[in-house]
Amino acid sequence: MFPPKKIVFPVDFSERCEWVAPMALAFARRFESELTLLHVSPLEGDKAPVPPARVALETFAARSLPGLDTKLALLQGDPAREIVRFSEEHHADLLMMPTRGRGAFRRFLFGSVTAKILHDAAQPVWTDIHAREIPTPRNTSFHNVVCALDLTEKNQAALRWAAQFSAAAGARLLLVHVVPLVVYASKEVAYWTWQREIIAAAREHIESLLLREGIQAALDVVTGDIPYAVRDAARNAQADLLVIARSLDNGQPGRLRSHAYPIIQHSPCPVVSV
């Protein structure tokens, strides 16, 4: 899983993909990865992918990924299904996706293709900033990485990924755990007399996990509404990357926890969900 030696970058030739390309290029160069540009054309009978799609893919690679020996793949069918299948068959270590695009990508807040991939993919998935407009170009260096954790064992893969990435990038790693607010009688109750005990127990649990994993990182335990508290922590830390966990459901990979979608939606920086 880490380092990501095989990266799959699905493109639909939208502005969002143009914005993601420099980050994909930076990842590929930093980790000496094999980068595959993948485009899935709609299925039209039994016809093979039309030449213009191949030309567009080659043009995108030459313009947006200069100097990189990029592999190209052109498929037909349901985009999400084909992207997940291709990534599994080619043993990809990371998928890099925009959260918005054009056409079918705009159907929901995320775009149906990205949402399905986040739900089904076994690999870590990188997603860009979820904004209505194309963000301004970002520096592709990494100085601060934030990893949001709950208190389940399913966090370990995300924690390890974040720690390894931070070490490779020479970045500071901050772990964030949110103690959620409780709504009672239409009022927000921050556990009142139990709040300190809950925060102390959470900190002790995570520090024990860090000790077992041999990971050194700063830790911040905060109280609030989980997506917004994670957003604020990432913003305050000037995070260049946020890492979160995706849970497993009866052994099936990729199923996002209830808070993962809003965390990605509100994140001030790109997110890797593991």
Side-chain angles (χ1 to χ4, degrees):
M1 184 181 295
F2 194 94
K5 287 300 185 180
K6 291 188 176 183
I7 300 173
V8 173
F9 178 19
V11 297
D12 66 347
F13 311 120
S14 66
E15 288 181 296
R16 280 284 175 177
C17 290
E18 295 280 0
W19 188 82
V20 171
M23 192 65 71
L25 181 62
F27 267 68
R29 285 177 172 167
R30 179 181 295 275
F31 299 110
E32 300 180 346
S33 309
E34 173 187 286
L35 178 63
T36 299
L37 275 182
L38 171 63
H39 177 71
V40 182
S41 300
L43 188 61
E44 298 178 2
D46 295 325
K47 296 180 180 179
V50 293
R54 168 66 65 174
V55 173
L57 204 58
E58 293 172 349
T59 301
F60 183 94
R63 179 181 67 250
S64 303
L65 301 164
L68 187 67
D69 185 13
T70 306
K71 291 193 171 185
L72 306 179
L74 192 60
L75 302 175
Q76 281 188 298
D78 175 77
R81 185 179 301 115
E82 292 302 316
I83 290 168
V84 170
R85 182 183 63 80
F86 180 91
S87 300
E88 291 177 352
E89 290 180 355
H90 289 78
H91 306 289
D93 300 304
L94 180 68
L95 279 76
M96 303 192 72
M97 298 285 302
T99 53
R100 282 176 176 266
R102 67 184 184 190
F105 282 76
R106 291 190 182 273
R107 191 170 302 163
F108 301 129
L109 287 174
F110 273 98
S112 59
V113 174
T114 304
K116 289 178 183 176
I117 290 170
L118 284 166
H119 187 277
D120 294 336
Q123 298 82 7
V125 180
W126 182 100
T127 49
D128 70 344
I129 296 174
H130 184 71
R132 291 185 179 277
E133 303 299 329
I134 301 297
T136 56
R138 289 179 61 88
N139 191 337
T140 54
S141 60
F142 297 90
H143 303 287
N144 297 293
V145 175
V146 171
C147 180
L149 300 174
D150 60 26
L151 301 182
T152 69
E153 295 301 319
K154 294 175 181 178
N155 284 279
Q156 291 183 7
L159 174 60
R160 291 169 187 158
W161 200 99
Q164 291 172 318
F165 179 87
S166 298
R172 174 179 180 266
L173 176 60
L174 170 65
L175 307 181
V176 174
H177 173 71
V178 181
V179 176
L181 293 171
V182 171
V183 177
Y184 177 73
S186 300
K187 295 181 180 180
E188 289 184 344
V189 182
Y191 293 104
W192 297 113
T193 58
W194 304 290
Q195 183 179 8
R196 290 184 180 179
E197 288 81 358
I198 292 172
I199 290 175
R203 181 176 292 277
E204 182 179 357
H205 179 96
I206 295 173
E207 288 176 346
S208 176
L209 174 61
L210 293 176
L211 186 62
R212 293 200 307 270
E213 295 289 335
I215 295 172
Q216 292 185 340
L219 172 61
D220 193 8
V221 180
V222 299
T223 301
D225 187 32
I226 291 175
Y228 298 103
V230 171
R231 175 201 63 190
D232 292 344
R235 183 177 291 160
N236 292 338
Q238 297 182 317
D240 304 296
L241 186 68
L242 172 63
V243 181
I244 64 174
R246 281 183 292 150
S247 64
L248 304 181
D249 185 8
N250 295 326
Q252 297 302 313
R255 298 187 185 277
L256 281 170
R257 296 185 186 147
S258 58
H259 295 291
Y261 280 123
I263 287 174
I264 295 172
Q265 285 176 324
H266 296 293
S267 175
C269 61
V271 179
V272 171
S273 55
V274 180

